[in-house]
Each structure stands twice: as C-alpha cells, then as structure tokens.
Amino acid sequence: MNLPQIDMPLFNRLRFVLVETSRAGNIGATARAMKNMGFSELVLVNPRFSDALTNEEAVAFASGAQDILASARVVGSIEEALVDCNFSAAVTARLREFSPPVLTPRVFATRLQQDANLNAAVVFGNERFGLPNDIVQRCNVLINIPANPDYSSLNLAQAVQVISYEARMADAEKCMSAADAAIGFQGEVASLAQIDGMYAHLEQALIAIDFLDPDNPKKLMPRLKRLFARTELETEEVNILRGIASQILTARKKRKTSEA
C-alpha cells in the first residue's frame, strides 16, 4: 500500500554516503533504493573507479533513478562527505570493542525524526572490507541491522533499502498521526469514575427492561465492559450512554405507573 504523500522534511535531512565502493552496480542499486523511499542525497567517497556515476552498470542498476546519480557528489574524504552534517551513523555488521553507541535502524530513524535539528549522514563501507575503524569512531552512532546471525551479510543496496525504509516509516507515521489528530472532533477522555458510573447506570436500565437478570447475570456486564474498554470512551459519549439509560428507566417507570 502506498503511503500518502505528505511534506516530509526528513527527506532533506538524511544523506547517504558510500565509502570506497567497488562495484558500479551497487552504486546504481543504491540510487534506486534511495529513490524508492523518497531520498535523494548521495555522496561517494573515493569510489574504486573514476566513472562511478556514469558507468554503464551503475546506470543500468539505477533503473529509473538516474537523477539520483546525476545529482550525486564524489569527494576525496569522509570529512568532505560529512560537511554540514551534525550527526552521522556508521552501518556495519561487525561490532567493535570501542565503538559508538549501537542502534537498530528503527531506533536511529525514530531519533532522527524526533529531532528536527539533526542533519544526518548514514555511512556505508566497501562491499568486502566494510568501514575502517577511524571512520566508525568519528561517527556518533553505529547502526547494526538485526539480520539472521547465521548469515548476516547484506548487499550494499539491501542495507540502504532497510535504513531508508525505516526512515520513511518513522516520518510517515508521525505525519499520519498528526493528520489523524487534526481530523474530526476529539473530546476529553472519560475518567474511570465516569465510566464506572455509566456501567452502573446501564446495568440498572438493562435490569429494568428484563434484558439482564440480576439473579443470573452470567457474563453480560463483563462482556459489555470489555466492549467499551476497546473504544476509549470520551466524557460526552459516557453522558450520551447515561442519557439513554435514564430514558429507558424513565420510560419503564411511566409504563409501570400507567399499568397500575
């Protein structure tokens, strides 16, 4: 299912950095993965070939994301790649003894979404050797994708896809929650005391119309309580239900009086 397109500034605050990439196809596949999730800023640090962004294999694997390649930058150092970033995360399957704090992609994405002041970069290493320790140590956090421990090796573009997906979902969920909160009337949530009073009032009404036998109640009231517990009743809704109960009791009383 496609998520609604909402203005998501996170897309402008997350940069993908590839360090010393060996295969042109992986660069193109990375561009495709980024575009799938709505991200566009790609930086290459010392790729292993001079035509990294125009290589025939890179263009073929980009498969419609050639605009990401066209706007990508090639730089000579990690320092250049992280210019204007105030937060960086190294992606690696190999944990170091003295590494930065380790986060899952989901926790990283949530943190990035919650702090709009973060201009972040996610740094990926060479396909064979990964990231050198000096680059890992200069990053704020380390991202470890919780893959199958018996086979945790992900293709470069697969790792990019996982992290870009989690970032998109974190931002989309926040936007949809905000949109939901802005739609329709939302009243004050009823207190436990108000709800208990409603249950007592409703029980009286059900007894009055012989729907509930007080001598053999079975599990009617517990089931009704379970039903209403799932609805997160608001004060006005409790008042409506109590008004219905009052009307039932009044009508029942009038009927008995007229029959007397």
Side-chain angles (χ1 to χ4, degrees), residues 5-254:
Q5 293 299 310
I6 305 174
D7 182 24
M8 296 181 181
L10 173 56
F11 289 172
N12 300 322
R13 295 191 288 110
L14 183 56
R15 177 182 306 172
F16 290 81
V17 177
L18 307 186
V19 178
E20 298 184 356
T21 310
S22 297
R23 293 291 304 274
N26 286 334
I27 295 173
T30 290
R32 181 177 182 177
M34 289 171 57
K35 188 168 183 176
N36 283 156
M37 296 297 116
F39 294 92
S40 60
E41 189 173 4
L42 175 63
V43 179
L44 308 182
V45 179
N46 293 324
R48 295 296 177 90
F49 36 89
S50 58
D51 63 341
L53 297 175
T54 57
N55 181 279
E56 182 178 343
E57 186 178 270
V59 172
F61 276 70
S63 186
Q66 287 84 357
D67 55 324
I68 306 298
L69 295 180
S71 62
R73 294 185 291 120
V74 177
V75 298
S77 67
I78 191 65
E79 289 82 8
E80 292 177 83
L82 298 181
V83 167
D84 298 328
C85 290
N86 56 16
F87 191 76
S88 59
V91 181
T92 178
R94 181 166 58 90
L95 302 180
R96 275 76 164 179
E97 182 178 2
F98 297 104
S99 76
V102 180
L103 306 180
T104 65
R106 187 161 299 176
V107 172
F108 166 75
T110 300
R111 179 171 177 180
L112 185 59
Q113 176 52 55
Q114 290 175 343
D115 189 345
N117 293 315
L118 292 180
N119 292 308
V122 188
V123 185
F124 301 81
N126 173 270
E127 297 93 327
R128 183 176 177 185
F129 303 108
L131 285 169
N133 287 333
D134 63 315
I135 291 182
V136 171
Q137 291 169 3
R138 74 182 304 121
C139 290
N140 301 95
V141 298
L142 187 151
I143 296 178
N144 182 255
I145 298 173
N148 178 3
D150 295 327
Y151 188 65
S152 60
S153 176
L154 272 70
N155 173 273
L156 176 58
Q158 290 175 325
V160 170
Q161 189 81 74
V162 169
I163 292 170
S164 60
Y165 169 81
E166 291 292 351
R168 179 176 181 84
M169 287 304 297
D171 208 65
E173 287 170 2
K174 180 176 180 179
C175 289
M176 286 193 295
S177 295
D180 289 343
I183 295 173
F185 172 79
Q186 288 190 321
E188 179 183 355
V189 177
S191 68
L192 293 178
Q194 289 173 324
I195 293 173
D196 285 341
M198 179 205 73
Y199 288 143
H201 207 166
L202 184 59
E203 184 174 7
Q204 292 174 26
L206 295 175
I207 291 172
I209 61 173
D210 298 323
F211 190 85
L212 173 62
D213 182 356
D215 296 324
N216 187 27
K218 297 183 179 180
K219 295 183 179 180
L220 177 60
M221 289 309 299
R223 287 186 180 279
L224 286 175
K225 289 179 180 181
R226 183 169 178 265
L227 184 156
F228 285 119
R230 295 198 300 268
T231 66
E232 297 185 0
L233 287 165
E234 297 174 357
T235 299
E236 190 62 29
E237 293 166 341
V238 167
N239 291 338
I240 291 171
L241 290 169
R242 294 198 68 166
I244 294 171
S246 292
Q247 190 63 30
I248 290 172
L249 291 169
T250 298
R252 187 64 176 173
K253 185 176 180 180
K254 287 180 179 180

